[in-house]
Amino acid sequence: MTTLAEHDRLWIRRYHPRPDAAVRLVCLPHAGGSASFYHPVSASLPASVDVLAVQYPGRQDRRNEPCPDSIQELADRVTSVLLPWTDRPLLLFGHSMGATLGFEVARRLEHDHGIVAHALFASARRAPSCPRDESVHLRDDDGLVEEMRKLSGTDSAILDDEELIRMALPAIRADYRAAETYVYEPGPNLRCPIVGLVGDDDPKVTVDEARAWSRHTDASFDFHVFQGGHFYLTSHQNEVLDLLAKEAGRA
């Protein structure tokens, strides 16, 4: 039988545990991503921020677990996992698919548990009310790999390693399917502030689609446009970390 502590270790990675931190930052990966993508964030933020990186099923050490079929299912599971960690202010940071997931998690925390996140950072993702007709998840394996090359978010050494990429593709395809079949269900706006972040040359989201996150909160909305593409944050890490640290300080 899996204990609560073991269950947490499956989902939550605390690379630098800070039990006395005043604020918790929950990091939600992009499609095909893993918790380790946020190791540099955990290492760089001040001791006042406890970073929780979420590890989805179906990848790395969770490779043998089935991937959730939808953003809604994943949001239900992540929300449940996060409840024991809500004893202090929460910041949610999601990149790409992780931004949509963060939005749905924030909704569940508010509606079902009366917990309002301190802020939601929505990075490199169009607002939930801006759908696109996308079908990358229906491509063959080579087409899926080509999409990942185009976005420049995966180490080319991994993409060029036939064995590694074939092991990763089922989770990548499942994530793309969840993200691309997501349908926004209209409802009350969030009560927490939203911070939108986007690259000015992102093929997956326009600046206007990212700015439309302002429609989804009754609190404040802040917006930042960076030079770069879908993974603009790899070359603007310091600026993004500064934004996170400042927001944590306000909490």
Side-chain angles (χ1 to χ4, degrees):
M1 181 176 179
T2 302
T3 66
L4 179 60
E6 291 168 339
H7 186 256
D8 274 358
R9 281 196 293 271
L10 288 175
W11 285 90
I12 303 294
R13 307 300 156 94
R14 294 170 82 204
Y15 297 113
H16 306 89
R18 292 159 181 156
D20 298 324
V23 182
R24 288 205 166 101
L25 169 65
V26 178
C27 296
L28 302 159
H30 54 280
S34 62
S36 57
F37 182 77
Y38 292 106
H39 186 280
V41 174
S42 178
S44 301
L45 284 175
S48 58
V49 184
D50 189 23
V51 178
L52 312 181
V54 175
Q55 182 79 316
Y56 308 144
R59 68 219 62 218
Q60 293 184 337
D61 56 334
R62 304 190 70 184
R63 188 173 63 251
N64 295 324
E65 298 178 52
C67 298
D69 290 328
S70 67
I71 293 293
Q72 306 291 0
E73 178 188 348
L74 187 54
D76 287 342
R77 297 175 71 178
V78 170
T79 301
S80 176
V81 168
L82 288 179
L83 288 177
W85 300 94
T86 58
D87 59 329
R88 61 202 70 184
L90 284 184
L91 297 176
L92 301 173
F93 183 98
H95 184 72
S96 194
M97 180 188 82
T100 305
L101 176 60
F103 171 72
E104 290 293 339
V105 169
R107 281 180 130 185
R108 285 158 173 73
L109 288 173
E110 288 189 8
H111 183 269
D112 299 336
H113 305 283
I115 299 168
V116 179
H118 180 73
L120 167 64
F121 283 76
S123 170
R125 185 66 172 170
R126 60 190 179 273
S129 54
C130 295
R132 281 192 187 187
D133 185 13
E134 295 180 308
S135 56
V136 174
H137 70 283
L138 297 177
R139 297 180 187 176
D140 62 16
D141 288 353
D142 289 341
L144 201 54
V145 171
E146 181 58 31
E147 174 73 6
M148 296 173 68
R149 288 190 192 279
K150 183 174 71 174
L151 296 180
S152 303
T154 305
D155 190 330
S156 60
I158 295 175
L159 294 175
D160 292 336
D161 188 311
E162 183 75 15
E163 184 177 357
L164 275 180
I165 195 61
R166 297 305 167 189
M167 288 172 59
L169 278 175
I172 296 168
R173 187 179 301 281
D175 286 355
Y176 268 90
R177 181 174 62 246
E180 293 180 340
T181 60
Y182 169 77
V183 177
Y184 166 63
E185 298 178 8
N189 279 350
L190 293 180
R191 289 152 57 197
C192 73
I194 296 178
V195 181
L197 308 96
V198 68
D200 61 3
D201 193 30
D202 189 335
K204 304 296 285 185
V205 52
T206 67
V207 170
D208 285 343
E209 286 174 325
R211 189 182 285 113
W213 278 98
S214 63
R215 305 172 188 166
H216 296 279
T217 178
D218 287 333
S220 63
F221 177 70
D222 198 10
F223 191 54
H224 302 271
V225 180
F226 298 89
Q227 187 175 34
H230 195 61
F231 284 90
Y232 71 89
L233 71 178
T234 58
S235 55
H236 294 279
Q237 179 175 302
N238 289 338
E239 294 100 312
V240 175
L241 287 170
D242 284 346
L243 290 172
L244 287 168
K246 288 176 182 175
E247 195 61 46
R250 283 193 279 268

